[in-house]
Amino acid sequence: MATREIRLAVTAEDRQVAGLAALAVGLSLAEAALPTPIPGVKPGLANIVILFVMLRHGFATAAWVMAIRLLAASLLLGSFLAPGFWLAAAGAAASMGVLYFVRYLPRALFGPVAFSLLMAFAHVGGQLVLAKLWLFTTADIGMLVPVFALAALVFGAVNGLIVARLIADDSVTGAQSSHA
Amino acid sequence: MSSLKRLLKPGDLLVLFLGGLLTAASFSHAWSRPAGDTVLVRAQGKLMVRAALSQDADYAVPGTLGVSRVEVRQGRARVAADPGPRQVCVKQGWVSRSGEAALCLANQVSLEVGGADRPFDTVSY
């Protein structure tokens, strides 16, 4: 009997993406345990990782991390292909879509907080549009819009500040290690 | 904590400001009632006045204790004076949104703003 060995080349970047995706999945799971007054209003901590990856490794890597996070977190939570999964997917797609364009904004003027806020608003926007078109076609969800907008404003700003802090610390330690 | 200034760039503040504006606008748009267009004054359950809110006017409405005075100014209405002991309806001030009301219970006089979109069918006491 012939033994066949298939060896897939794993690059350093693959490992990095896997590690960051695992971090994003972990944050998604931790956040799912938090009680929330309205389903869908949550801090979106995984977006910290997504934005960090975008700024450090580029858009394509960030899109990979987002896709892996979406898939893995929904499989672990048991929501894969359930309505909640599609809402999360719509939010993720909208926020990555916005990020695709806003990443060209001048970095001298726009930092992580701006990106994070724009992503957060796109995220809830995508969710609400899908919810209205598909799940709640007859119900009036207009009353929910302000609640989601407020959540996007607060959590988008906080997550953005965290990313700004991470980037700042990272560049400091990076500079030190390059001297060593 | 490293200074907030170092973490925030001008564009960040701009987006934060616009986001805040959008949030505030969504609140006022979704949660405020439409402006009313008629003023309805009842005394002891009987409709005494039904007039356009856009028309400035003064009405004197006789209640069980005495006369309540209702003022309509620039699309708003209020109970300017009431003989009731607690003056709740006077202190309520101006009402202008559809469904808003000022009730002078002791004098059995009510001032209500009517409009296309009424949140309640009726208010009775």
Side-chain angles (χ1 to χ4, degrees):
Chain A
M1 241 210 289
T3 318
R4 250 175 4 130
E5 189 178 299
I6 299 174
R7 206 177 270 274
L8 295 173
V10 181
T11 65
E13 202 200 349
D14 289 340
R15 289 185 206 283
Q16 213 158 23
V17 171
L20 290 163
L23 190 58
V25 171
L27 287 171
S28 287
L29 291 182
E31 180 171 273
L34 293 174
T36 156
I38 299 176
V41 173
K42 26 184 188 182
L45 297 174
N47 290 327
I48 295 170
V49 179
I50 308 289
L51 186 54
F52 182 82
V53 170
M54 200 285 282
L55 294 171
R56 272 291 130 96
H57 304 277
F59 180 79
T61 310
W64 267 114
V65 172
M66 181 64 117
I68 292 167
R69 176 199 74 91
L70 194 64
L71 203 66
S74 70
L75 284 172
L76 289 167
L77 290 168
S79 66
F80 183 55
L81 299 187
F85 168 78
W86 293 113
L87 289 177
S95 81
M96 291 315 281
V98 164
L99 195 58
Y100 182 80
F101 291 105
V102 301
R103 70 197 163 118
Y104 295 115
L105 287 171
R107 295 287 165 83
L109 292 175
F110 294 90
V113 175
F115 292 128
S116 177
L117 280 166
L118 290 165
M119 281 175 80
F121 274 100
H123 207 112
V124 297
Q127 280 183 321
L128 285 171
V129 167
L130 184 70
K132 181 64 190 172
L133 292 180
W134 177 46
L135 291 175
F136 305 103
T137 47
T138 52
D140 183 14
I141 58 169
M143 296 281 277
L144 288 178
V145 172
V147 180
F148 279 85
L150 187 64
L153 184 69
V154 173
F155 294 131
V158 171
N159 291 350
L161 280 173
I162 293 172
V163 174
R165 188 67 196 273
L166 285 173
I167 294 280
D169 289 356
D170 202 41
S171 50
V172 170
T173 50
Q176 280 169 347
S177 60
S178 68
H179 284 301
Chain B
M1 172 96 198
S2 58
S3 77
L4 218 54
K5 232 193 240 163
R6 207 161 57 81
L7 301 177
L8 283 170
K9 293 173 181 170
D12 295 340
L13 294 173
L14 178 73
V15 174
L16 191 62
F17 175 73
L18 292 177
L21 216 59
L22 185 74
T23 305
S26 72
F27 265 101
S28 71
H29 179 75
W31 286 6
S32 72
R33 291 190 224 141
D37 52 23
T38 50
V39 54
L40 305 161
V41 183
R42 290 185 179 84
Q44 297 165 66
K46 279 209 303 275
L47 186 64
M48 308 296 280
V49 175
R50 173 193 276 273
L53 200 59
S54 54
Q55 199 85 47
D56 287 3
D58 292 279
Y59 304 103
V61 184
T64 51
L65 298 180
V67 174
S68 299
R69 285 201 308 107
V70 172
E71 264 180 27
V72 181
R73 296 282 184 277
Q74 296 166 356
R76 307 180 301 167
R78 69 168 177 173
V79 179
D82 178 70
R86 294 174 61 190
Q87 300 287 304
V88 174
C89 58
V90 178
K91 285 177 190 156
Q92 180 158 359
W94 297 101
V95 289
S96 61
R97 304 260 158 213
S98 176
E100 271 189 316
L103 308 176
C104 309
L105 295 186
N107 204 23
Q108 294 188 23
V109 166
S110 75
L111 162 66
E112 192 190 339
V113 177
D117 182 26
R118 287 165 57 91
F120 312 112
D121 290 336
T122 183
V123 178
S124 68
Y125 48 81

